Amino acid sequence: MKTFTKIVFTVMAAFLFMQCKNEKTSQKAVTSENTVRYAKGFSIRNYKGYSILTVINPWPKADKTYTYILKEKNGIVPDSLKQNPIISIPIKKIVVTSTTHIPSLEMLNEVNSLVGFPHLDYISSEKVRARIDAGKVKELGNNQDLNTEVILDLQPSVIIGYGIDNKNPTLDNLQKSGLKVILNGDWNEETALGKAEWIKFFGLLYGKQQQAEETFNKIEKDYLKTLEIAKLSKTIPTVLVGDMFEDRWYLPKGTSWGSQLIKQANGNYQWQETSGTGSLSLSFETVFEKAKNADIWITSGQFSSLNEMTEKNPHYAKFDAFGKKNVYTFSRKKERQAEPFITNWLPTDRIWY
């Protein structure tokens, strides 16, 4: 009897060992190399029937890595990975929480999947605004206090969130309610191409990795071509960035993608010597003392005219760039005032000579 039991346990152990080994071998055999080349905040590895999405740096100095399993229809996820959040793809409905997520949805032709967003008035996309006007995209309140009841009614396939630290009780509560949440750290990238490459993150969610790859390759080609033009610049203007929001002036840190973008465009950003990604938070007085005489001012995009700026804060008029109407905005789609106006600016629209 003991001999029989020993044989049974030996056979079972051998079977389990071989099964585990075959699973690992099979997994290794079908994996693809990570195709993310510029972005430092995420990686993608594809396996037969599923992919592993790893978000490495969702906010400055994050000390935790987040792993998500994107499961295709009929895909089989190994037991060793089932402790991670599993999201079925392609997704059908999405909630995003930053305007930086909207362009990827447009480029992938997935705007119709957007069902909710915090602060709808921040969105300038014509396609998304049409859906908002039609009542197809719901207002979700503030990022720090999302309307969980509305989100629960929407039942999105996934919620794309972001954080500035490891405390986000709203997202935690949504996950406890059974909803899927994925963190996105595109804003924390150090280069413009790294930030743009997050379209591959969204391509994975929609089962459109090839389309996302092709779109990014086009962006990369155009961007590198523009950099060659920028090298011909004869002057290096000083550049001020941002404006006041809730009594603080937010502007990019020196090693952030925003700072690097200005440097590559041959601009002298006055806080480029600071370190770190993300944003600096300064007082008006600190910014004014250092940047009063800046040649160019790139605002955050919350204003469409110089009049709007002085109505919000009359002290803006004291900056030299304001007086010379050298103020630029990203709010390209917003309706312009007749005069005075803020010139629209995008990296491919103008190089500073």
Side-chain angles (χ1 to χ4, degrees):
M1 188 66 176
K2 291 183 179 179
T3 302
F4 173 78
T5 303
K6 184 176 181 180
I7 292 173
V8 170
F9 277 116
T10 301
V11 172
M12 286 179 64
F15 174 77
L16 292 172
F17 173 78
M18 290 304 297
Q19 186 180 45
C20 180
K21 183 178 180 181
N22 288 339
E23 180 182 280
K24 290 181 179 179
T25 302
S26 174
Q27 179 173 304
K28 185 176 180 180
V30 297
T31 186
S32 69
E33 292 297 324
N34 179 31
T35 61
V36 178
R37 293 179 286 123
Y38 294 93
K40 295 183 177 181
F42 78 106
S43 66
I44 296 172
R45 294 194 179 278
N46 299 311
Y47 298 86
K48 184 178 181 180
Y50 68 95
S51 298
I52 299 177
L53 169 66
T54 304
V55 177
I56 304 159
N57 199 31
W59 56 78
K61 299 181 181 179
D63 57 1
K64 181 180 177 182
T65 295
Y66 295 83
T67 301
Y68 308 94
I69 310 302
L70 288 303
K71 177 182 171 296
E72 300 170 19
K73 185 177 181 180
N74 299 323
I76 299 175
V77 178
D79 291 341
S80 59
L81 296 175
K82 288 183 177 178
Q83 76 275 14
N84 301 297
I86 299 175
I87 295 95
S88 295
I89 58 171
I91 62 169
K92 302 300 181 184
K93 296 193 297 182
I94 193 170
V95 164
V96 300
T97 53
S98 170
T99 53
T100 62
H101 305 157
I102 302 293
S104 291
L105 303 189
E106 284 207 45
M107 289 185 282
L108 294 171
N109 301 312
E110 292 292 348
V111 166
N112 289 343
S113 68
L114 180 64
V115 295
F117 186 87
H119 274 302
L120 292 177
D121 54 317
Y122 288 172
I123 297 178
S124 60
S125 162
E126 292 180 2
K127 292 180 179 179
V128 178
R129 293 234 61 91
R131 284 182 55 79
I132 293 171
D133 294 340
K136 295 180 179 180
V137 182
K138 301 299 182 182
E139 173 62 66
L140 301 180
N142 299 313
N143 248 314
Q144 290 73 32
D145 189 24
L146 295 172
N147 191 321
T148 55
E149 290 184 7
V150 174
I151 296 176
L152 287 170
D153 286 341
L154 291 172
Q155 284 295 301
S157 308
V158 67
I159 301 161
I160 306 302
Y162 72 89
I164 57 175
D165 53 35
N166 62 355
K167 298 177 182 178
N168 200 320
T170 301
L171 294 180
D172 292 341
N173 289 334
L174 288 169
Q175 289 186 97
K176 290 176 183 177
S177 299
L179 296 177
K180 305 294 185 181
V181 177
I182 299 180
L183 291 174
N184 179 297
D186 62 355
W187 65 279
N188 198 34
E189 290 292 338
E190 297 181 6
T191 65
L193 285 177
K195 187 173 188 298
E197 198 167 18
W198 280 78
I199 189 175
K200 297 179 181 180
F201 168 101
F202 287 97
L204 174 60
L205 297 178
Y206 290 102
K208 293 185 174 182
Q209 289 194 71
Q210 184 60 38
Q211 182 178 338
E213 185 76 30
E214 292 172 358
T215 301
F216 176 74
N217 289 343
K218 176 65 165 55
I219 293 171
E220 178 188 29
K221 180 180 178 181
D222 292 344
Y223 187 81
L224 294 177
K225 182 179 179 180
T226 304
L227 290 187
E228 291 303 312
I229 298 173
K231 292 177 181 179
L232 303 175
S233 174
K234 304 300 182 184
T235 60
I236 304 177
T238 53
V239 182
L240 167 64
V241 178
D243 40 52
M244 297 294 290
F245 181 76
E246 296 182 351
D247 299 324
R248 301 297 293 174
W249 193 302
Y250 293 95
L251 58 170
K253 289 183 178 179
T255 49
S256 68
W257 68 269
S259 174
Q260 296 303 308
L261 182 64
I262 294 170
K263 183 177 181 180
Q264 290 176 325
N266 223 48
N268 176 21
Y269 175 50
Q270 292 173 296
W271 278 268
Q272 66 184 11
E273 299 305 321
T274 60
S275 62
T277 58
S279 300
L280 294 167
S281 174
L282 304 176
S283 67
F284 179 92
E285 293 76 16
T286 299
V287 174
F288 183 74
E289 182 180 358
K290 188 168 185 176
K292 177 186 182 299
N293 300 318
D295 299 310
I296 291 173
W297 183 356
I298 303 173
T299 74
S300 66
Q302 63 174 311
F303 304 112
S304 296
S305 72
L306 298 179
N307 281 338
E308 283 186 16
M309 294 181 69
T310 50
E311 286 174 3
K312 187 72 174 180
N313 189 333
H315 298 298
Y316 286 149
K318 297 178 181 180
F319 287 91
D320 287 359
F322 186 100
K324 297 175 183 178
K325 295 185 179 180
N326 275 338
V327 184
Y328 293 73
T329 180
F330 292 99
S331 56
R332 184 180 182 86
K333 300 295 185 181
K334 292 184 179 180
E335 181 180 353
R336 286 188 181 183
Q337 306 291 329
E339 283 289 342
F341 64 92
I342 301 177
T343 307
N344 278 311
W345 179 89
L346 282 175
T348 54
D349 289 344
R350 173 172 173 173
I351 299 298
W352 302 319
Y353 291 103

